[in-house]
Amino acid sequence: MKKLIIWDFDGVIADTEHIATDKYVEFAEEYGISLTRDNVIQYIIGKGQQKQLEALLSLGKNANADIVKQINDKISEAVNKNISLTDGIEDIFKLKEFDQCVATGNSLNGIKARFEPLNLERYFSREKVFSASFVAHGKPEPDLFLYAAEKMNYTPKDCIVVEDSIYGITAAIKANMTVIAYLEHILYDKKEYIKKINSLGKVHICNNMIEVKDLLLVLNK
């Protein structure tokens, strides 16, 4: 039986994280929410919108779900103008040995804004794209990955998640799936980040899509 690759989007399929971080600071300020870049990196990036709201409230910011949605929609538009696929990833999309889908913390509007300029409908039909808005709890809870696996008719043991964020990696581990930590585009100190990843559990680490492809083919044996 084939295995299922579950792709995160931001920071994996495309290097959106650096753009999104700077824009989050800028757009939050428009709503009277003052954040540093480090705030966004530490508490926001990689989280679904509900978790973003919880983080903002924990920082003492005057935020609500509508404001968080508007910030994310504006970020999607900004990212859309500069987005490009990660080098080498299309070689993996074309592999016949796997089924593949996308599971992201983005809203449906955010997903659409990212997919259209990259023409990703070539590889992922609507039925193979899953948003955190589909489930009760976003990353770092496993709900989204478990939902995607169920809809794709796979058990967790036959799923391989490619993630870059601590929250996403944690969610995949909780889902009892094989995890590949993709570090090419990360915002953090790589040595410290690897230490943190390794403390979570068994995780494969890759620095580019050539390494990911080679590892996937090994895991599929």
Side-chain angles (χ1 to χ4, degrees), residues 20 40 45 50 56 59 97 104 112 120 169 182 193 200 202:
V40 177
I45 292 297
Q50 179 58 37
L56 291 172
L59 291 169
E97 292 92 334
T104 171
K112 183 178 180 181
L120 280 173
I169 293 166
Y182 186 71
Y193 203 59
L200 299 175
K202 184 177 180 181

mmCIF file of all heavy atoms in Angstrom, residues 20 40 45 50 56 59 97 104 112 120 169 182 193 200 202:
data_model
loop_
_atom_site.group_PDB
_atom_site.id
_atom_site.type_symbol
_atom_site.label_atom_id
_atom_site.label_comp_id
_atom_site.label_asym_id
_atom_site.label_seq_id
_atom_site.Cartn_x
_atom_site.Cartn_y
_atom_site.Cartn_z
ATOM 1 N N ALA A 20 5.726 36.627 5.991
ATOM 2 C CA ALA A 20 4.587 36.661 6.909
ATOM 3 C C ALA A 20 4.956 37.267 8.256
ATOM 4 O O ALA A 20 4.159 37.997 8.858
ATOM 5 C CB ALA A 20 4.037 35.247 7.094
ATOM 6 N N VAL A 40 6.340 37.593 17.172
ATOM 7 C CA VAL A 40 5.643 36.850 16.120
ATOM 8 C C VAL A 40 6.300 35.486 15.914
ATOM 9 O O VAL A 40 5.616 34.460 15.794
ATOM 10 C CB VAL A 40 5.613 37.656 14.808
ATOM 11 C CG1 VAL A 40 4.958 36.844 13.696
ATOM 12 C CG2 VAL A 40 4.860 38.969 15.010
ATOM 13 N N ILE A 45 3.842 32.502 14.480
ATOM 14 C CA ILE A 45 4.109 31.765 13.252
ATOM 15 C C ILE A 45 3.966 30.264 13.491
ATOM 16 O O ILE A 45 4.480 29.711 14.457
ATOM 17 C CB ILE A 45 5.523 32.087 12.716
ATOM 18 C CG1 ILE A 45 5.577 33.535 12.226
ATOM 19 C CG2 ILE A 45 5.923 31.129 11.587
ATOM 20 C CD1 ILE A 45 4.669 33.852 11.064
ATOM 21 N N GLN A 50 -6.982 30.404 15.829
ATOM 22 C CA GLN A 50 -7.443 30.352 17.208
ATOM 23 C C GLN A 50 -6.262 30.417 18.177
ATOM 24 O O GLN A 50 -6.300 31.131 19.184
ATOM 25 C CB GLN A 50 -8.269 29.088 17.457
ATOM 26 C CG GLN A 50 -8.772 28.930 18.888
ATOM 27 C CD GLN A 50 -9.633 30.098 19.359
ATOM 28 O OE1 GLN A 50 -10.409 30.656 18.588
ATOM 29 N NE2 GLN A 50 -9.497 30.475 20.631
ATOM 30 N N LEU A 56 -2.050 36.185 21.405
ATOM 31 C CA LEU A 56 -2.165 37.634 21.509
ATOM 32 C C LEU A 56 -2.799 38.048 22.838
ATOM 33 O O LEU A 56 -2.348 38.993 23.495
ATOM 34 C CB LEU A 56 -2.978 38.182 20.339
ATOM 35 C CG LEU A 56 -2.311 38.108 18.958
ATOM 36 C CD1 LEU A 56 -3.302 38.501 17.876
ATOM 37 C CD2 LEU A 56 -1.073 38.991 18.897
ATOM 38 N N LEU A 59 -0.463 37.775 25.642
ATOM 39 C CA LEU A 59 0.509 38.878 25.641
ATOM 40 C C LEU A 59 -0.124 40.201 26.074
ATOM 41 O O LEU A 59 0.530 41.241 26.059
ATOM 42 C CB LEU A 59 1.123 39.033 24.249
ATOM 43 C CG LEU A 59 2.062 37.911 23.782
ATOM 44 C CD1 LEU A 59 2.368 38.055 22.293
ATOM 45 C CD2 LEU A 59 3.350 37.910 24.592
ATOM 46 N N GLU A 97 4.815 7.061 -6.329
ATOM 47 C CA GLU A 97 4.877 6.093 -5.237
ATOM 48 C C GLU A 97 4.032 6.489 -4.029
ATOM 49 O O GLU A 97 3.807 5.676 -3.125
ATOM 50 C CB GLU A 97 6.326 5.909 -4.766
ATOM 51 C CG GLU A 97 7.224 5.235 -5.779
ATOM 52 C CD GLU A 97 7.954 6.229 -6.682
ATOM 53 O OE1 GLU A 97 7.425 7.361 -6.865
ATOM 54 O OE2 GLU A 97 9.032 5.887 -7.194
ATOM 55 N N THR A 104 -2.816 22.603 6.470
ATOM 56 C CA THR A 104 -2.207 23.855 6.892
ATOM 57 C C THR A 104 -3.084 24.611 7.876
ATOM 58 O O THR A 104 -4.312 24.481 7.855
ATOM 59 C CB THR A 104 -1.925 24.748 5.662
ATOM 60 O OG1 THR A 104 -1.531 26.046 6.095
ATOM 61 C CG2 THR A 104 -3.145 24.877 4.772
ATOM 62 N N LYS A 112 -6.266 29.670 -0.703
ATOM 63 C CA LYS A 112 -6.544 30.076 -2.081
ATOM 64 C C LYS A 112 -5.537 31.104 -2.564
ATOM 65 O O LYS A 112 -5.028 31.021 -3.693
ATOM 66 C CB LYS A 112 -7.961 30.640 -2.172
ATOM 67 C CG LYS A 112 -8.368 31.032 -3.591
ATOM 68 C CD LYS A 112 -9.803 31.551 -3.615
ATOM 69 C CE LYS A 112 -10.202 31.945 -5.033
ATOM 70 N NZ LYS A 112 -11.596 32.490 -5.082
ATOM 71 N N LEU A 120 -1.016 25.380 -7.966
ATOM 72 C CA LEU A 120 -0.894 24.112 -7.248
ATOM 73 C C LEU A 120 -2.078 23.171 -7.455
ATOM 74 O O LEU A 120 -2.014 22.007 -7.055
ATOM 75 C CB LEU A 120 -0.702 24.374 -5.752
ATOM 76 C CG LEU A 120 0.723 24.754 -5.365
ATOM 77 C CD1 LEU A 120 0.788 25.161 -3.900
ATOM 78 C CD2 LEU A 120 1.689 23.603 -5.626
ATOM 79 N N ILE A 169 5.228 19.989 14.069
ATOM 80 C CA ILE A 169 5.962 18.765 14.396
ATOM 81 C C ILE A 169 5.337 18.087 15.611
ATOM 82 O O ILE A 169 5.142 16.861 15.628
ATOM 83 C CB ILE A 169 7.449 19.084 14.638
ATOM 84 C CG1 ILE A 169 8.111 19.536 13.328
ATOM 85 C CG2 ILE A 169 8.184 17.871 15.219
ATOM 86 C CD1 ILE A 169 9.467 20.185 13.513
ATOM 87 N N TYR A 182 11.491 20.012 8.189
ATOM 88 C CA TYR A 182 12.124 20.667 7.042
ATOM 89 C C TYR A 182 12.668 22.018 7.483
ATOM 90 O O TYR A 182 11.913 22.900 7.884
ATOM 91 C CB TYR A 182 11.105 20.842 5.909
ATOM 92 C CG TYR A 182 11.735 21.383 4.659
ATOM 93 C CD1 TYR A 182 12.589 20.585 3.912
ATOM 94 C CD2 TYR A 182 11.515 22.689 4.249
ATOM 95 C CE1 TYR A 182 13.194 21.068 2.763
ATOM 96 C CE2 TYR A 182 12.117 23.181 3.104
ATOM 97 C CZ TYR A 182 12.956 22.370 2.371
ATOM 98 O OH TYR A 182 13.563 22.854 1.249
ATOM 99 N N TYR A 193 17.313 25.067 17.313
ATOM 100 C CA TYR A 193 16.041 24.541 16.826
ATOM 101 C C TYR A 193 16.091 23.018 16.712
ATOM 102 O O TYR A 193 15.130 22.327 17.067
ATOM 103 C CB TYR A 193 15.713 25.170 15.475
ATOM 104 C CG TYR A 193 14.243 25.146 15.123
ATOM 105 C CD1 TYR A 193 13.305 25.754 15.949
ATOM 106 C CD2 TYR A 193 13.803 24.543 13.952
ATOM 107 C CE1 TYR A 193 11.963 25.751 15.624
ATOM 108 C CE2 TYR A 193 12.457 24.544 13.612
ATOM 109 C CZ TYR A 193 11.539 25.145 14.450
ATOM 110 O OH TYR A 193 10.205 25.147 14.119
ATOM 111 N N LEU A 200 11.462 16.539 21.226
ATOM 112 C CA LEU A 200 10.050 16.215 21.089
ATOM 113 C C LEU A 200 9.789 14.732 20.880
ATOM 114 O O LEU A 200 8.734 14.224 21.238
ATOM 115 C CB LEU A 200 9.449 17.003 19.906
ATOM 116 C CG LEU A 200 9.499 18.523 20.001
ATOM 117 C CD1 LEU A 200 8.988 19.142 18.709
ATOM 118 C CD2 LEU A 200 8.678 19.013 21.185
ATOM 119 N N LYS A 202 10.939 11.177 18.065
ATOM 120 C CA LYS A 202 11.633 10.722 16.860
ATOM 121 C C LYS A 202 11.211 11.574 15.660
ATOM 122 O O LYS A 202 10.044 11.571 15.249
ATOM 123 C CB LYS A 202 11.330 9.254 16.582
ATOM 124 C CG LYS A 202 12.112 8.712 15.391
ATOM 125 C CD LYS A 202 11.853 7.240 15.160
ATOM 126 C CE LYS A 202 12.650 6.737 13.948
ATOM 127 N NZ LYS A 202 12.400 5.301 13.674
#
